[in-house]
Amino acid sequence: MERKAFLRSLGAGAAFALVFPCVHGCSSDSGNEGEQEVPTGVDFIVDLSGPDGAALENNGDFIIRNDVVVARNLQGQFVAASRICSHEQNAGVSFVETQGGIFECEVHGSRFDQSGTPLNTITSNPLKVFNTELQGDLLRIFE
Ligand code: FES
């Protein structure tokens, strides 16, 4: 039986369930679809003399490398945290300028300060953060 005929035989509701298993994000009881590994052994360099430097030029800018959010905070300092959220391990964390500059996960709305401490009740698990060290144009992100 071809795919189209198979889906037709199931009916519209079942076909929708098969094709769109997680339309509005996955809740905690949905089997942790999208779960990913929090980065470990992190140690890499971002060259700020190239395109990454332009992407991090202004306070509040951020880039994502190796599942790490590298941001220039609102004071102009570089901070870094896991792109993989500590709530349900979805790759949804970014840097946002609210509350003086925080990390926020777009999946269920967890918020963390720049040291990884949770700021709301969605999770009590801290977000993994990384050290940053700037030498000239080279920004090192490491554990
Ligand atoms: S995975 Fe739920 S808030 Fe990030």
Side-chain angles (χ1 to χ4, degrees):
M1 180 182 292
E2 288 188 28
R3 177 186 159 91
K4 213 171 177 180
F6 173 71
L7 291 175
R8 198 177 311 124
S9 73
L10 292 175
F16 183 82
L18 283 173
V19 177
F20 301 104
C22 198
V23 173
H24 294 292
C26 301
S27 65
S28 60
D29 58 359
S30 64
N32 290 327
E33 295 167 37
E35 200 171 285
Q36 298 185 35
E37 295 287 323
V38 172
T40 59
V42 167
D43 193 350
F44 62 92
I45 302 283
V46 172
D47 184 354
L48 298 178
S49 68
D52 287 340
L56 288 167
E57 186 176 347
N58 301 307
N59 294 353
D61 286 347
F62 72 92
I63 61 172
I64 296 167
R65 294 289 179 278
N66 308 319
D67 280 331
V68 173
V69 180
V70 180
R72 184 187 286 268
N73 70 15
L74 301 187
Q75 291 72 42
Q77 300 163 325
F78 291 104
V79 294
S82 170
R83 167 81 166 152
I84 312 303
C85 185
S86 60
H87 176 225
E88 289 184 0
Q89 289 72 52
N90 289 288
V93 175
S94 63
F95 188 81
V96 296
E97 296 187 20
T98 57
Q99 294 184 256
I102 60 171
F103 293 103
E104 181 178 67
C105 180
E106 66 186 10
V107 180
H108 309 107
S110 287
R111 290 180 164 188
F112 308 89
D113 70 15
Q114 293 177 30
S115 64
T117 302
L119 295 173
N120 57 24
T121 57
I122 293 170
T123 182
S124 59
N125 301 326
L127 182 69
K128 188 172 186 179
V129 296
F130 303 98
N131 301 305
T132 62
E133 183 180 74
L134 184 62
Q135 291 190 347
D137 282 336
L138 300 180
L139 177 63
R140 181 183 176 210
I141 292 89
F142 61 102
E143 293 189 46

